[in-house]
Amino acid sequence: MEGLIVVIAFAAFVVITIAKGVRIVPQGQEWVVERLGRYQRTIMPGLSILIPYLDAVAYKVVTKDLILDVQQQEVITRDNAVILTNALAFIKVTDPVKAVYGVTDFQEAIRNLVMTTLRSIVGEMELDEALSSRDKIKARLRESIADEAIDWGIGIKSVEIQDIKPSESMQKAMEMQAAAERERKAMVTRAEGDKQSAILEAEARLEAAKRDANAQVALAASSAEAIRRVKDAVGDDTTPVMYILGEKYINALDKLAHSPNSKIVMLPGDLQEAVARAVGAMRKP
């Protein structure tokens, strides 16, 4: 029984030793091997032999492209506007040794580097420029972090601005500003319309006054011409003139008598004698 236990223990020791000494690295990974706590070598994908109990796989580094989601953050622009922005960073480990020994956590380091650099770039812009310059921000962001990432054995494939927008309070302020601007434009348009209307009305009144004045002048000229012609036709004999005046006087009284608004018509008692005296007076030299 004791011999069986020894055989089983020895077999287990052999299996464990082989398992520690023979390693198969999958494609897309590189393993960092340490010997007694010190970096020894980096093993590539495939079959590798290690010295059992002396060599140990300290880090398994993925060499495929990694996608890092950079969390959303508030950024203050140069004109003191608050915007929300986040990004995606596509990276690749080019040097596993620098990636594991150059920084504690290279993924978290890249995230923080992207966030701080993004704040710095957007902080130099005004709100309108920041909202309309995604490509410019992306290019500057990748260029700024590339040198830092090389020291950590990381290659920056691309950095994409996932979202950039004003904060909720800023959106409300922008909506209020846009509404105020639309109202201002509407008031300017109405004021301009009222101004043009007043100008047209004034021009119309001026033209009407000019035409009335011209009509009065023409009427006065016509009346003067008519009086002159009557005077030339009558000459020194005033009888026709008095006849016409008397006829007009009688017609006026007739219209007054037939007016629907007239209740009482006052006539001189000596109408005929008055007309006769007027006519007789005109006959005197």
Side-chain angles (χ1 to χ4, degrees), residues 4-258:
L4 180 61
I5 294 175
V6 171
V7 171
I8 294 175
F10 180 77
F13 174 76
V14 171
V15 171
I16 295 174
T17 301
I18 295 174
K20 286 182 173 291
V22 179
R23 293 299 182 92
I24 299 176
V25 180
Q27 187 68 37
Q29 294 185 10
E30 294 181 12
W31 292 1
V32 176
V33 177
E34 293 180 350
R35 179 172 294 175
L36 300 177
R38 183 176 181 180
Y39 171 72
Q40 175 63 27
R41 62 191 175 103
T42 301
I43 56 178
M44 301 299 174
L47 179 65
S48 297
I49 304 299
L50 305 180
I51 299 177
Y53 307 109
L54 296 180
D55 293 341
V57 176
Y59 301 98
K60 297 179 179 180
V61 181
V62 178
T63 56
K64 296 181 288 185
D65 289 349
L66 301 177
I67 303 174
L68 302 182
D69 187 6
V70 180
Q71 66 186 28
Q72 189 178 75
Q73 61 176 332
E74 291 186 351
V75 181
I76 300 178
T77 62
R78 187 171 61 185
D79 52 352
N80 295 323
V82 179
I83 62 176
L84 302 177
T85 180
N86 60 350
L88 288 176
F90 298 86
I91 66 174
K92 181 179 178 66
V93 177
T94 58
D95 190 338
V97 176
K98 290 183 178 180
V100 297
Y101 294 114
V103 65
T104 302
D105 185 345
F106 68 87
Q107 293 190 18
E108 187 65 22
I110 294 296
R111 286 193 184 94
N112 290 328
L113 183 60
V114 171
M115 292 177 64
T116 56
T117 306
L118 184 58
R119 281 199 301 268
S120 176
I121 293 173
V122 175
E124 298 174 357
M125 299 179 175
E126 294 186 354
L127 176 61
D128 295 338
E129 182 183 3
L131 295 178
S132 60
S133 303
R134 285 197 178 198
D135 292 338
K136 181 179 178 181
I137 296 173
K138 180 177 70 175
R140 289 187 57 188
L141 183 59
R142 183 182 183 281
E143 181 181 356
S144 299
I145 67 176
D147 294 339
E148 295 287 344
I150 289 177
D151 294 338
W152 297 333
I154 307 297
I156 305 298
K157 306 284 288 188
S158 177
V159 179
E160 298 294 333
I161 304 300
Q162 189 173 12
D163 194 13
I164 181 169
K165 61 183 180 180
S167 62
E168 184 176 353
S169 59
M170 196 65 199
Q171 287 181 5
K172 293 180 180 179
M174 292 175 66
E175 290 174 359
M176 294 176 62
Q177 181 180 2
E181 182 65 16
R182 289 193 295 269
E183 182 64 22
R184 184 189 68 82
K185 290 182 178 180
M187 293 178 64
V188 170
T189 302
R190 287 195 295 268
E192 187 66 24
D194 294 341
K195 175 184 175 182
Q196 293 296 328
S197 177
I199 291 174
L200 293 175
E201 289 180 0
E203 291 179 350
R205 290 196 300 270
L206 178 60
E207 184 65 22
K210 289 181 179 179
R211 291 180 179 272
D212 290 340
N214 292 335
Q216 292 177 5
V217 171
L219 181 60
S222 299
S223 299
E225 181 64 21
I227 293 172
R228 186 185 62 78
R229 292 188 179 185
V230 170
K231 179 180 178 183
D232 293 342
V234 173
D236 295 335
D237 188 6
T238 59
T239 301
V241 176
M242 296 307 300
Y243 175 77
I244 293 173
L245 291 176
E247 184 179 13
K248 288 184 176 293
Y249 181 67
I250 294 172
N251 289 335
L253 292 176
D254 181 65
K255 290 181 180 179
L256 181 62
H258 289 85

